[in-house]
Structure formats: C-alpha cells, structure tokens
Amino acid sequence: MKLASLKEGGRDGTLIVVSRDLSRAVRATGIAATLQQALEDWSNLAPRLAALSQALNEGSADGVFDVDVAQFAAPLPRAYEFVDGSAYLPHVARVRRARGAEVPESFYTDPLMYQATSAGFSGPRDPVKVVDESYGIDLEAEIVIVTDDVPMAVTPAQAAAHIQLVGLVNDVSLRNLIPQELAKGFGFLQSKPRSTLSPVFVTPDELGDAWRDNKLHLPLLTHVNGAWFGAPEAGVDMQFDFAQLLAHAAKTRPLSAGTIVGSGTIANEDTSKGASCFAEKRTVETLESGAATTPFMSFGDLVRIEMLDRDGNSIFGAIEQRIERQPLP
C-alpha cells in the first residue's frame, strides 16, 4: 500500500491511502488520524489500511478524490527520530581521496551515522528555503525506511522485521558550513536544515522483487532545472543494508515508532551513472581535472527526485521543489 498525508488537521497532517498509480486517494481517518498514529499500532492497523488500499485500487472505496500533490505534506510531517547513514562508500572514498585521505578500515565494518533534523519535514512541492546562497546549497537524493517500535540491541535479522515503510528524501546540505562544524568534532547542526520527503511512503511488498536483501534495487533519478543529473543504482555499492543500519542505530537505545533511517547519498563506483548530490559531482571533477567546475545551487534552481519501477511508473511520486531565499525575521 501507499500512504501519504494531507496538509490539514494540524502539524501531523491527515493520513490518506493513495492508489498504486498515484492518481486517486481516500482519507484513512476512520482507521488512524495520522501516519504516526498508525505506526504506533502498526500490527493492528496495517491490515485495515491494506484492506482500504485494496478497495481503492479495485474501485470500491468510498470518499475517493483525485490526487493533488501540491496539497501533500510530508508523509511524516515530523518524526521522533531521523538518523542518516552513509552506506555508499564509493562516495565516502572519493571525497576522502580528493583531499588526499584514505578510508579507514573501520568504515567497512561500522556504519557512519548521525542524528539528523526530525522536528519538521518539507512537503514534496514545498520550496527549499535558505538565507544565503554562499552557504553552498546542495541536494542529497536518498532512500529512507520507516520503523515501528524497535527494541534496543536488535540484530540485523531482527531489525528487518521492523522496516514497515520505504520512501525518498532530499536531505538538504549547506556544504560551505560543514567544514567549520566538523572541525569542532561535534557533528552537524547549522549545515543540515530541514529535509524533504517523497509524496508517498510504500510498504516493501509494493516494491516486488526490487526490494531484496533489505535494499532497494532500482536507480534513483535526479534532475536539476530539467536536466539529467544522475541515476545511480541504489542496490549497488551499498556497504550496509537497511537492516544493518537500523541495528546500528538501535545498539544502545530503543527506537520509537516512526523513526526514519536514511541510506546516505546514493553513489556508485561507476561515475557514468551521474551523482545524487553536487558534492559528489564536484569531487569527481576534482579527481578527473584537478578542480571542481560545477557550482552549488542557486536561488531559482529546481530539483526533481524520483524513482521509477521497471515499467517506468513512479513509485513514490516526485520530490519537486525550487530553491528560494528565506527572508530574515
């Protein structure tokens, strides 16, 4: 099934079920008012949501309306937790090589992960608001999974059973603010504003054989200002699968229902498949020609992030948003 939230009913939106072709929807408020509420009682409510999804796709549901993605909030307008990994080591290796550093051996056995911003996510058509272009505005096209309640110290095999939904994220970064923050040795803060989630989240069964080994085996397609930017294969070169990332996050603490876990920027060894962020593209340029030539993003630029199934159908709908100046208060 495919789930989304409308921009109504307060900060957490109104839960809706969306048809497989993303054209129609029905409110699910008779089952759960919000997606967060559904996740907190997932074992009981998911079968009822699935039945409503089946009725919608068969044409027998009541209260059906046409989808208008502009009215969509993020599926989870806010989450209790968002932890973002860096599971694609080709990206990590290239960035480090560009500055003359090697990848530590531990990176191959112990996932990189940080605590990301979760108090609010932008809707799929909301603009990216930034005060100053000089911050180095970058997109990051990633995959996310969403959990029910996860016990502390689960194994990867146990963690896999807690992956309930899959989606996309534009994990916006302000690259020129990152070096000073990392130099302090205490991680990201100002350099990581709010992220944007795909129009819908889907249950893994919707992905068919593209979801296997706790990875999503399809290209993640990014366009900037209508031009192809990249389509790296998400199932290739992923050092840690989502179950491993989830187990890593839960090693010393339980995770609340609605926790979002990010894959990190999708990147392949094969650079002909393009990039999922400007930092990656600029790093490849530096390695190939000695200097980065592509600037970071500017006000007015348009980002589109989407994943298509093998028949060319959009799975999660598209994140499509413009970079805009945020006025000072």
Side-chain angles (χ1 to χ4, degrees):
M1 61 183 162
K2 300 190 175 187
L3 303 175
S5 295
L6 292 174
K7 291 180 175 180
E8 62 179 41
R11 291 191 180 189
D12 295 313
T14 295
L15 178 62
I16 60 173
V17 176
V18 180
S19 63
R20 189 163 288 116
D21 65 3
L22 305 177
S23 67
R24 293 161 293 117
V26 60
R27 286 172 175 81
T29 46
I31 301 170
T34 67
L35 181 53
Q36 180 63 40
Q37 182 183 344
L39 288 162
E40 290 174 359
D41 192 18
W42 189 253
S43 61
N44 290 320
L45 298 185
R48 295 174 60 191
L49 290 168
L52 181 58
S53 174
Q54 181 176 349
L56 173 63
N57 285 300
E58 291 176 349
S60 59
D62 296 326
V64 175
F65 58 92
D66 292 337
V67 161
D68 177 5
V69 178
Q71 301 303 314
F72 280 20
L76 273 174
R78 54 180 174 171
Y80 286 107
E81 195 150 18
F82 175 25
V83 290
D84 198 16
S86 189
Y88 293 87
L89 291 193
H91 172 68
V92 177
R94 277 194 287 267
V95 169
R96 293 180 72 88
R97 190 162 70 248
R99 64 173 191 259
E102 297 294 324
V103 177
E105 285 299 317
S106 63
F107 282 28
Y108 293 93
T109 57
D110 191 32
L112 288 167
M113 187 171 284
Y114 73 95
Q115 193 86 33
T117 301
S118 64
F121 292 93
S122 301
R125 294 294 183 271
D126 294 343
V128 176
K129 295 278 195 175
V130 181
V131 170
D132 194 327
E133 283 183 351
S134 70
Y135 292 169
I137 308 165
D138 200 355
L139 64 92
E140 288 192 60
E142 304 182 19
I143 298 165
V144 295
I145 58 97
V146 186
T147 74
D148 57 9
D149 286 307
V150 182
M152 185 192 306
V154 289
T155 65
Q158 293 168 330
H162 294 280
I163 299 172
Q164 304 302 352
L165 296 169
V166 184
L168 307 179
V169 65
N170 179 11
D171 179 40
V172 180
S173 289
L174 303 177
R175 297 293 183 184
N176 292 339
L177 302 184
I178 288 177
Q180 293 181 28
E181 291 202 313
L182 293 185
K184 297 177 181 179
F186 218 52
F188 304 118
L189 183 67
Q190 294 174 340
S191 54
K192 299 300 293 186
R194 288 185 172 183
S195 298
T196 303
L197 299 175
S198 53
V200 305
F201 284 164
V202 311
T203 47
D205 62 281
E206 285 286 338
L207 302 168
D209 64 2
W211 180 259
R212 59 185 186 275
D213 305 321
N214 302 304
K215 300 178 183 179
L216 182 45
H217 295 263
L218 288 168
L220 183 54
L221 180 61
T222 301
H223 287 82
V224 177
N225 295 326
W228 184 89
F229 188 80
E233 292 280 349
V236 175
D237 300 318
M238 190 179 188
Q239 183 73 15
F240 304 100
D241 65 38
F242 278 108
Q244 291 171 309
L245 293 174
L246 181 52
H248 178 81
K251 180 177 180 177
T252 60
R253 59 185 177 185
L255 302 175
S256 297
T259 292
I260 297 174
V261 180
S263 65
T265 305
I266 314 298
N268 295 155
E269 290 283 0
D270 181 2
T271 59
S272 70
K273 297 184 180 297
S276 292
C277 70
F278 278 81
E280 167 81 2
K281 183 175 178 64
R282 286 166 56 86
T283 296
V284 171
E285 292 170 347
T286 299
L287 292 171
E288 291 179 347
S289 62
T293 57
T294 301
F296 290 116
M297 303 187 75
S298 301
F299 296 137
D301 285 350
L302 182 66
V303 175
R304 183 180 175 93
I305 299 170
E306 190 171 22
M307 182 172 278
L308 308 179
D309 65 20
R310 299 300 183 193
D311 296 321
N313 303 305
S314 183
I315 299 172
F316 307 99
I319 295 171
E320 189 166 346
Q321 50 186 171
R322 199 169 294 279
I323 311 300
E324 294 184 2
R325 184 188 298 276
Q326 172 64 43
L328 294 174

